[in-house]
């Protein structure tokens, strides 16, 4: 299966700095999106540290005998440790952290993904958009338990409260799973700067109308800005031909 891919990140219209980070492997082996938090310098540093640590670990261990699940879990744990070490060395960044979502294509027909936090992975297939990742947030848990309704979740004041992120001593679980993909699918990795402004219905419409990944990614970012652009916006789009 041949991959076409692109990535774009924009600070949005409100924030002066961009605390998102992403990495697109030019060989199409893996893709990363991270959304940092913890103040102006802290958020930028946390997402950058995570992205670099994951990239380096994946490259160094790509051809080892470890399973895709083991590789992803160890990469995200390494990123968590790197952020914790930076917190120790720079107490002024002690509260920094980051979300992250990663997709690896060690086997082109059987990719895997892993995530921590609320940066999302979607699969677009036959004009239908499906969220693959599950947000690690208070609101997502309340929605799953039936404590709130979907229309309440989108505007809930606690929707940004994370239950899990990188940069925490108590990170003891990383969600990793295989991806079901077929030729024609597109995978969308994004920060919540996109999903806060555009619901799934509108994202799907843009992906349906724009087949080229570069144009589609840029259009999604611009559409999010037109809706307010209140946060940093990062999109990585992977098309499976």
């Amino acid at each position: 299966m041949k991959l076409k891919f692109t990535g774009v990140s924009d600070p949005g219209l409100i924030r002066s700095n961009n605390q998102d980070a992403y990495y697109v492997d030019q060989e199409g082996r893996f893709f990363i999106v991270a959304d940092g938090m913890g103040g102006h310098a802290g958020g930028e540093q946390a997402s950058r540290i995570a992205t670099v640590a994951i990239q380096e670990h994946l490259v160094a261990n790509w051809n080892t005998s470890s399973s895709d699940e083991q590789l992803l879990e160890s990469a995200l744990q390494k990123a968590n440790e790197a952020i914790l070490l930076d917190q120790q060395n720079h107490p002024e960044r002690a509260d920094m952290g980051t979300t992250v979502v990663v997709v690896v294509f060690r086997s082109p027909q059987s990719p895997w993904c892993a995530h921590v936090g609320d940066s999302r992975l979607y699969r677009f297939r036959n004009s239908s958009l499906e969220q693959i990742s599950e947000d690690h947030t208070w609101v997502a848990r309340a929605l799953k338990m039936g404590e709130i309704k979907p229309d309440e979740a989108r505007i809930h004041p606690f929707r940004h409260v994370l239950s899990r992120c990188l940069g925490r001593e108590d990170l003891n679980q990383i969600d990793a799973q295989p991806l079901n993909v077929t030729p024609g699918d597109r995978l969308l990795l994004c920060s919540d700067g996109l999903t806060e402004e555009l619901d799934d219905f509108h994202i799907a419409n843009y992906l349906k109308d724009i087949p080229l990944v570069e144009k589609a990614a840029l259009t999604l970012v611009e559409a999010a800005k037109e809706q307010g652009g209140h946060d940093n916006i990062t999109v990585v789009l992977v098309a499976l031909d």
Side-chain angles (χ1 to χ4, degrees):
M1 220 178 318
K2 184 179 179 181
L3 303 182
K4 295 180 180 178
F5 45 84
T6 191
V8 59
S9 189
D10 193 284
L13 301 178
I14 305 299
R15 302 198 176 194
S16 59
N17 65 316
N18 193 345
Q19 298 186 57
D20 288 357
Y22 76 93
Y23 185 82
V24 170
D25 178 63
Q26 292 306 303
E27 296 180 31
R29 294 174 297 177
F30 57 88
F31 307 90
I32 309 167
V33 168
D35 180 357
M37 69 209 75
H40 184 96
E44 285 185 89
Q45 188 73 356
S47 61
R48 185 194 67 81
I49 290 172
T51 303
V52 170
I54 292 168
Q55 171 205 344
E56 291 179 345
H57 186 82
L58 291 178
V59 170
N61 295 275
W62 193 255
N63 295 316
T64 64
S65 61
S66 60
S67 68
D68 289 354
E69 182 176 20
Q70 292 169 333
L71 179 65
L72 281 166
E73 289 179 349
S74 59
L76 269 63
Q77 288 290 0
K78 287 289 185 183
N80 191 57
E81 294 166 5
I83 295 172
L84 291 173
L85 179 60
D86 191 85
Q87 290 173 347
Q88 295 172 11
N89 294 333
H90 303 275
E92 71 275 11
R93 298 199 290 260
D95 63 343
M96 72 176 179
T98 188
T99 69
V100 71
V101 57
V102 186
V103 174
V104 297
F105 280 86
R106 284 173 104 190
S107 168
Q109 283 72 37
S110 304
W112 273 69
C113 69
H115 79 289
V116 175
D118 63 355
S119 289
R120 292 180 178 177
L121 172 65
Y122 288 93
R123 181 182 60 211
F124 182 72
R125 174 185 292 173
N126 298 328
S127 300
S128 178
L129 187 70
E130 179 184 359
Q131 183 178 339
I132 303 300
S133 59
E134 181 177 313
D135 295 349
H136 297 143
T137 61
W138 182 92
V139 162
R141 179 189 174 280
L143 185 61
K144 191 174 184 179
M145 299 294 290
E147 298 170 1
I148 61 174
K149 297 178 181 178
D151 57 341
E152 296 175 306
R154 186 158 182 83
I155 59 172
H156 201 284
F158 292 167
R159 66 187 182 279
H160 299 300
V161 177
L162 297 174
S163 58
R164 206 184 305 174
C165 70
L166 296 183
R168 298 295 178 264
E169 293 278 3
D170 60 355
L171 180 67
N172 51 28
Q173 182 180 352
I174 291 169
D175 291 350
Q177 61 181 311
L179 292 174
N180 175 279
V181 295
T182 61
D185 287 353
R186 276 189 274 179
L187 299 177
L188 168 66
L189 297 79
C190 62
S191 63
D192 66 352
L194 178 73
T195 53
E196 273 291 296
E197 306 294 358
L198 301 177
D199 60 23
D200 291 3
F201 174 80
H202 288 93
I203 293 173
N205 279 342
Y206 284 116
L207 293 176
K208 179 174 63 177
D209 293 341
I210 308 172
L212 296 177
V213 291
E214 292 86 356
K215 185 176 180 181
L218 287 170
T219 300
L220 286 171
V221 169
E222 289 305 312
K225 290 167 69 175
E226 288 173 7
Q227 292 301 312
H230 295 90
D231 199 355
N232 310 143
I233 310 155
T234 299
V235 168
V236 169
L237 198 55
V238 183
L240 291 78
D241 290 337

